Amino acid sequence: MTLLIEQLINGLQLGTMLFLMASGLTLVFGVMGLINLAHGSFYMVGAYATASVTAATGSFFIGLAAGLAAAAAVGALVELIVIRRLYHRPHLDQVLATFALILIFSEGTRWLFGSSPLWLNPPALLSGSVTLPGGLRYPIYRLVLIAVGVAVAVGMYFLITRTRLGMRIRAGESDREMIGALGVNIARLYTLVFAMGAALAGLAGALVGALQSVQVGMGEPVLILAFVVIVIGGIGSIKGALYGAILVGVVDTLGRVFLPLFFRQFMSPSEAAGVGSAIAAMLIYILMAVILAFKPKGLFAANE
Amino acid sequence: MKKLASVGLGLLMTTAMAAAQAQEVKIGMITTLSGGGSHLGVDVRDGFLLAIERSGRDDVEVLVQDDGNRPDLARSLSNEFMQRDNVDILTGIIFSNLAMAVVPAAVRQGTFYISPNAGPSDLAGRMCHENYFNAAYQNDNLHGAMGAYMREQGYERPIIMAPNYPAGTDALAGFKHLYEGEVVDEIYTQMGQTDYAAEIAQIRASDADSLFFFLPGGMGISFMKQWENSGVDLPVFGAAFSFDEIIIKAVGSAAIGAMNTSLWAYDLDNEANHAFVEAFRDAYDRTPTLYAAQGYDTANLILSALEKAHPDDKDAFREALREADFDSVRGKFRFGPNHHPIQDIFVREVVEGDDGQPTNRLVGIAVEDIQDVYHTQCQM
């Protein structure tokens, strides 16, 4: 029983980090109609900036602030220099151009930092584990990640529904010509939204980097999951990104643990481990296929 | 067609000229210098070149190329080395899947291949070849030795974990082969996985008394960091691949206390090793890893054979390699009938070094004169 509860918390933690990635991705797609494969690079930029500034200053929190700033700045620059030329191009051109950006960012990072992973640890304050009610020991840092994810989700909700900027973003989603005609500076709005998405990805990279390892190409596996999340949640929908991320996080985590155990009922342990983990790796794609079969536009389709 | 013929003639002439110039020896090294796992290739190369340099021979030329951990690239590099550069000996490959792509074709064409790392079971067994030698280990050696060591230390309920790919399943099979008992559970993770929360929860829920894992490269770094903060308190065991000097520095304090098996340790007490470690630190300003030691031994094995014969005389050179007449940094070293080492495997513990950084300390011998199980399948 505690195993199930611990795995549910693990799934929730993975889900909230996926939400940070997916919300930026879906925002950019929803508002600007742009497919950005380089979103994973912002994740990596955030992690590298945090790791190197933390190493230089000795403070994780200064590093984290620097990571956020660096990801936002790089996002804004990329929008000004490259992305801006892609809004009116077909999606295939966007995919090609942003894929090129991935290669440039990866090689650039390798050139700057080398190919060995960097060292970034959570601050001492957040290390170790606590005993939850029910006697389960759980790492403090992972609980903090959940809290940050939830805080960002709440913040995004208020930003989109209650502020002037949010109103413009929503308006940009439905009709970009119209709000341009009403005197909103669309170019600036787009740069801002893009930088915001990049900062969220950078935040996820920095937080997860302290848990795992900071290395070149770390963003790509997460990016694939983030795409699954926004397809499941409905493209352009922040609410969909939240539900999709938690669904994917929980299903992926539970599948990895319980499928091998399930196959063990009628197979030898090593076979069960092999078959179980192979199917677990496919599980979220099966989930996506099933959801799309019933709801072709995802759970919370925007613009309907 | 005419052009093709003249190119062919030109090639023939250069080969003839190269043979006439004679006794220069060319070694082609294909190794992984970029991408994932590149520090392994860098250390093999640095150890190898150090030995060549210390030998003082200027008639040995080493050509180094980066395979980027890509089998197709390794394959075309080996063809280039054999056809354009006419190398006598190939070496350097780190990963088993790359070795399988290159070695069988190369040795069939008469080139010698001396492996400084990869030792897949097929090349030790049914696909063994008289021109293929492995100066490092057979892939099972280190995992099996840890199985034997844990059994001997009285651990009765180990849980074992590896990525779900050929070297991972081989590692766990190798472990079980010499553990000779029941393991509590086998966990297969995804290749390249970075989050191990689910696996750690599974380990926590099991009633295991110890953990053995094989997670090479960045996977091991992520796992150990998360393991430290999980509050699970089991002794940790593994093979040296997850605990080389570069990796434990990246893991930090979480690695302290872990035991690992290796065919070599930098504090191994013999003359060849003292000289090697000192020269390596002087030349590159870091502590050598086992990969550096393997590269150094590989070069010295080749040099010892070159003392006796030139690779052009294939039979004599092969015989000279078989004798393995060199001072290994491992202490003793000899080849089994399938040209894989029969050797002692050591146990090391990760401890805090004088500079506060984790480092490996030699504890003792896990298994003496370990030989792979595949040599019975080898016919040459």
Side-chain angles (χ1 to χ4, degrees), chain A residues 6-291:
Chain A
E6 179 170 2
Q7 298 296 12
L8 283 173
I9 305 177
N10 286 337
L12 188 64
Q13 185 260 307
L14 176 61
T16 51
M17 286 301 107
L18 279 177
F19 169 70
L20 292 187
M21 277 295 272
S23 55
L25 203 57
T26 204
L27 204 58
V28 168
F29 194 95
V31 179
M32 314 176 197
L34 180 99
I35 295 182
N36 177 24
L37 293 187
H39 199 64
S41 300
F42 301 138
Y43 179 86
M44 182 174 72
V45 167
Y48 267 91
T50 304
S52 44
V53 172
T54 302
T57 61
S59 159
F60 178 78
F61 296 102
I62 296 178
L64 189 60
L68 265 174
V74 169
L77 271 180
V78 164
E79 202 274 342
L80 286 173
I81 298 170
V82 183
I83 302 293
R84 187 152 278 218
R85 297 161 216 286
L86 297 172
Y87 293 133
H88 300 292
R89 298 286 205 106
H91 283 158
L92 186 61
D93 288 7
Q94 299 172 351
V95 165
L96 273 177
T98 52
F99 183 70
L101 282 176
I102 295 185
L103 301 180
I104 293 168
F105 273 108
S106 291
E107 281 313 307
T109 310
R110 210 193 301 284
W111 180 69
L112 273 174
F113 294 94
S115 17
S116 315
L118 289 196
W119 189 11
L120 174 65
N121 273 348
L125 185 68
L126 306 176
S127 298
S129 52
V130 285
T131 308
L132 300 180
L136 172 70
R137 286 195 76 75
Y138 199 77
I140 298 171
Y141 190 69
R142 285 186 191 268
L143 292 175
V144 172
L145 293 194
I146 296 175
V148 170
V150 170
V152 169
V154 171
M156 292 274 285
Y157 174 77
F158 277 102
L159 178 80
I160 302 277
T161 56
R162 300 289 155 83
T163 63
R164 180 173 287 267
L165 175 65
M167 193 175 70
R168 286 178 175 166
I169 290 175
R170 276 180 292 143
E173 240 171 19
S174 8
D175 195 332
R176 65 176 99 177
E177 273 77 28
M178 187 57 87
I179 64 159
L182 290 172
V184 173
N185 185 338
I186 294 200
R188 199 189 301 155
L189 176 70
Y190 280 15
T191 312
L192 196 65
V193 170
F194 200 82
M196 214 167 74
L200 286 174
L203 175 66
L207 292 175
V208 173
L211 197 63
Q212 303 172 0
S213 62
V214 178
Q215 55 188 349
V216 173
M218 62 189 282
E220 273 69 66
V222 195
L223 182 75
I224 296 171
L225 284 181
F227 268 111
V228 173
V229 164
I230 68 170
V231 169
I232 286 179
I235 292 161
S237 160
I238 295 285
K239 188 174 160 196
L242 179 63
Y243 286 93
I246 290 172
L247 191 61
V248 166
V250 169
V251 167
D252 186 53
T253 307
L254 294 188
R256 265 182 14 222
V257 179
F258 293 108
L259 276 177
L261 293 180
F262 168 73
F263 282 105
R264 193 164 303 178
Q265 312 287 324
F266 38 86
M267 277 183 202
S268 75
S270 67
E271 266 181 300
V275 174
S277 58
I279 295 182
M282 295 184 257
L283 201 59
I284 55 160
Y285 303 100
I286 298 172
L287 173 76
M288 179 169 76
V290 170
I291 287 178

